[in-house]
Structure formats: C-alpha cells, structure tokens
Amino acid sequence: MPAANLVDIQAKVENNERLNRDEALRLFASNDLHFLGELARLIKQRKTGRYVYFNVNRHINLTNICVSRCKFCAFGVDRDAPQAYTMSLEEVLRVAEESIPQGVTELHIVSALHPDLPFEYYLEIIQELHRRWPQVHLQAFTAVEIDYFAKISGLSIEQVLVKLKEAGLGSMPGGGAEILSPRVRQLTCPRKASTERWLEVMRTAHGLGVRTNATMLYGHIETIEERVDHLLRLRELQDETGGFQSFIPLAFHPENTALADVPRTTAFDDLKVITISRLLLDNFDHVKAFWIMLGVPLAQLSLEFGVDDLDGTVVEEKITHAAGAKTAPGITKSELIRLIREAGYIPVERDTVYNVLQIYDQEEKQCVPV
C-alpha cells in the first residue's frame, strides 16, 4: 500500500491521468522506491509492453576544444591543453569506415564549442558521411551546438538546421539541456545556450521534421523543484511539437570537473529520477537508460523502473569518461541482448528513429526479422 499522501497519485496513474507539479514534488519526497517503480513499470508496459529497445551505434566526438568550459564538464579544454584534439575530415571518415562493417546503423556525433572552426567544417563532415554511407543515420549536434553554429555563421537557427538537414543530418541528440533553469545555467554554464534558446532550437528542429531526444543532467547544484520544472518544460514543448522521441536522464559525474566536491548520485536517486521522469513525461514514448553513465548493472535494473531502451553499443565514449565514468567505452550487441533477456524482457533492435529492425524473441540463431 502506498503512503496516504500518494494514494491519489496512484489512482491518477492507473486512470491514465496527467500528474501535476505538486504531485511530482510529492513523489520526489517519497522514499518508497518499490511503489514508484510499480507505477513507472505500469506506464512502460502500456507504451511498449515487454519490448526493450537498443541500437547499434558509434559515437564520434570531433573536438574537445571548447569556449564554454562548463563547471560540470571534464571533456572541454583550452586549445593549448596537452590533451586538446580536433579530428580532420579524413580522420572522421576513417573512423566511420571502420565502423560500418560492424553493423552500425547510427553515427552519433557530439562535440565541443571550438573557438576557430567554421560552420562549414561541421557541414562538410555531415555531407561527406552521408554521401559515402547514405544508409547510416546521422544523429548529430546538440541544441547548444546548433545555437553556437548560428552565432559563428551569422545564420539563423532555422537556416543552420536546414543546411544540416540538406547535408544529411537525420536527427539530433538531447544533450546540452543540463537543467533548464536560468539560475543553474548562470552558475554552471553561462557561456552556452540559455534555457529559452535551447527550447527554441528544439522547437525549430521539430518544425523542420528533425526529431530529437531530450535529456536532464541531474545531481549537481540543482534543487528538486528545478528537476521537476525541467521535466515540465520538456512535457510542455512535447505537447506543442511532438518532436521528442525519447527522454534520457543523465547522472552527473563530478570527477575532474569544477564541481568535483559534489558527491556522485546514488543508485537510489538515479532510480527515483528515472521513475518520476517516466511518470511525469506521459507524452514521451521512450525513456532511455544511458548505461555509460548509470553503469551496466543499474541500467539493467532500471528496466524494472520504467526504462524501455538501453541506448546503443556506443563503441567509444569520451565525454562521460573524462569525468570519471568507470564503464567500458562500448558494449557488444550480444551483451545488450543478454542483459535485456536476463531481466525478462524481449530485446528489440531499432534504428535511430525507433523503426524496428529485429525482434529477438527466441534464441539468436532463430531471430525473427520484421
């Protein structure tokens, strides 16, 4: 039985009614994780049944030289730092060429805000990747990067997105949202896109038919109220555009950042954020566990707390690992299938925009193509 102050919330979830801000705050105040998980699992079952999704992708981070230098980031560096790097077009193509034979269906490209590279550098990379491998989906550039491209090119957000879409951009990741609070952004990342600007980029992308993900970087200086307001801003925009395809809660990793004294989030907090996100974001089809940040065991456990997607094979991740992530830089497709099956769910390989590629409802040698 839930606590007395949560009975009405249980009834609303069971009746498929939308939760409000006060109810979300009451959920965050509860430590009955078992109860929260049951409610979130109910929503997950309604939306995707026993299916749990994953994809075969490869991350590429073009450069780590960044003018933003956010306090929660250990990836971005100055141009004269020993570890500074910028990939040439030839290097990007070589990485892609090595990845495609491994069954990669998505190249996931996120970088830093480089002080000298022109917009044409990014445009050429998308053009060449798409020209050579048109069958591979390019999910690239956060809303923060798009905002930066507009500034360095003198183009509008819409003009930047149109050019990238014409070059071969397929969709956008959800990064850079951090916490959609002016207070938090002023204290942690004052040089990057504001709350309103992040939402404007996403709104424009959705209007152009470019689907995106959405994220929330939690566990640093934000308050519980700011977490809830962040989720409500995303839900509000999703009501308006319908362009978000998944939500990904991202647990802050403090190591090597300017916020290194902030303790790492606990498994309890991670699962609570996941469950409440699933309950509050009733208009999002998918909630994804980014196993790089959660760790593989907790990502697997999150399937019982409302998650229906374990992200992808990733292959090489640099941003979270710069901040102390202890996970492997990548995971195999067979391991993702095993993790999902072991939790009692049916693995479904998808493409970036959630078209089903294969359902693994039997042993792998008997896979069912769809």
Side-chain angles (χ1 to χ4, degrees):
M1 290 290 291
N5 69 331
L6 299 179
V7 171
D8 61 326
I9 295 178
Q10 180 183 30
K12 289 186 75 171
V13 172
E14 290 175 348
N15 292 325
N16 213 17
E17 297 174 27
R18 173 166 284 189
L19 302 182
N20 60 34
R21 185 176 189 273
D22 171 69
E23 290 156 347
L25 291 172
R26 278 194 276 150
L27 290 173
F28 267 111
S30 169
N31 288 326
D32 190 347
L33 193 58
H34 179 70
F35 168 71
L36 298 179
E38 278 190 351
L39 290 185
R41 195 159 56 248
L42 174 63
I43 302 297
K44 180 258 178 284
Q45 294 279 4
R46 283 177 184 160
K47 288 185 175 289
T48 61
R50 301 298 297 171
Y51 286 174
V52 169
Y53 299 86
F54 69 94
N55 72 338
V56 180
N57 62 354
R58 210 285 188 198
H59 282 215
I60 299 177
N61 304 123
L62 301 176
T63 181
N64 64 346
I65 301 173
C66 189
V67 298
S68 188
R69 306 307 307 276
C70 305
K71 288 186 177 178
F72 45 68
C73 179
F75 175 69
V77 298
D78 293 331
R79 59 163 71 87
D80 58 352
Q83 69 272 40
Y85 77 91
T86 300
M87 297 177 74
S88 66
L89 173 61
E90 290 71 27
E91 289 173 315
V92 175
L93 295 176
R94 186 165 61 248
V95 168
E97 190 165 25
E98 293 169 356
S99 306
I100 305 304
Q102 300 168 19
V104 165
T105 61
E106 169 195 298
L107 291 175
H108 185 104
I109 303 170
V110 175
S111 303
L113 309 184
H114 196 290
D116 305 317
L117 291 174
F119 173 52
E120 287 71 23
Y121 163 84
Y122 306 93
L123 196 60
E124 184 179 20
I125 284 174
I126 295 298
Q127 282 172 332
E128 279 303 302
L129 288 173
H130 183 64
R131 186 180 68 80
R132 298 191 186 206
W133 299 284
Q135 77 280 13
V136 176
H137 187 102
L138 301 178
Q139 181 167 84
F141 308 130
T142 65
V144 167
E145 291 173 275
I146 298 296
D147 171 66
Y148 188 66
F149 296 162
K151 289 176 180 171
I152 62 176
S153 67
L155 301 172
S156 67
I157 289 171
E158 181 170 350
Q159 288 170 324
V160 166
L161 285 167
V162 166
K163 284 181 176 291
L164 287 170
K165 186 179 178 183
E166 289 174 348
L169 178 73
S171 63
M172 287 168 53
E178 323 309 359
I179 292 289
L180 294 172
S181 153
R183 182 192 76 86
V184 173
R185 297 182 91 81
Q186 184 58 39
L187 290 173
T188 60
C189 52
R191 298 188 188 93
K192 71 176 11 172
S194 66
T195 294
E196 294 305 324
R197 189 76 168 173
W198 189 94
L199 292 167
E200 181 185 351
V201 171
M202 289 304 192
R203 182 180 291 108
T204 305
H206 297 171
L208 293 170
V210 177
R211 302 207 70 190
T212 76
N213 296 328
T215 60
M216 176 172 74
L217 182 71
Y218 65 92
H220 41 93
I221 68 165
E222 85 284 0
T223 65
I224 295 301
E225 287 78 7
E226 286 165 338
R227 289 184 187 179
V228 170
D229 290 340
H230 176 103
L231 294 171
L232 292 177
R233 294 299 298 267
L234 295 179
R235 190 173 74 178
E236 182 181 358
L237 184 57
Q238 180 74 332
D239 278 344
E240 178 185 333
T241 68
F244 290 121
Q245 56 183 4
S246 72
F247 172 72
I248 312 160
L250 303 175
F252 173 56
H253 282 54
E255 195 172 315
N256 303 320
T257 74
L259 301 175
D261 57 327
V262 174
R264 172 78 169 82
T265 61
T266 62
F268 192 92
D269 193 26
D270 292 334
L271 290 176
K272 185 187 282 191
V273 169
I274 288 168
T275 59
I276 296 172
S277 300
R278 179 61 287 173
L279 292 168
L280 207 55
L281 298 176
D282 57 351
N283 52 3
F284 277 63
D285 289 336
H286 306 283
V287 171
K288 184 188 298 187
F290 189 42
W291 60 265
I292 288 280
M293 280 185 158
L294 288 176
V296 170
L298 190 57
Q300 185 188 33
L301 185 60
S302 73
L303 300 180
E304 287 297 291
F305 290 81
V307 161
D308 69 278
D309 191 321
L310 283 186
D311 201 82
T313 51
V314 179
V315 180
E316 183 182 20
E317 199 282 338
K318 295 178 179 175
I319 297 173
T320 311
H321 284 86
K326 300 298 188 288
T327 47
I331 194 170
T332 65
K333 174 176 163 179
S334 59
E335 180 68 358
L336 283 169
I337 291 171
R338 184 184 73 81
L339 291 167
I340 295 168
R341 277 187 175 148
E342 188 178 77
Y345 292 93
I346 300 171
V348 178
E349 184 178 353
R350 61 169 176 82
D351 65 11
T352 306
V353 291
Y354 285 89
N355 293 309
V356 173
L357 302 180
Q358 196 155 355
I359 301 174
Y360 296 86
D361 57 352
Q362 301 178 49
E363 293 302 315
E364 284 194 60
K365 61 184 179 183
Q366 299 172 326
C367 294
V368 181
V370 294

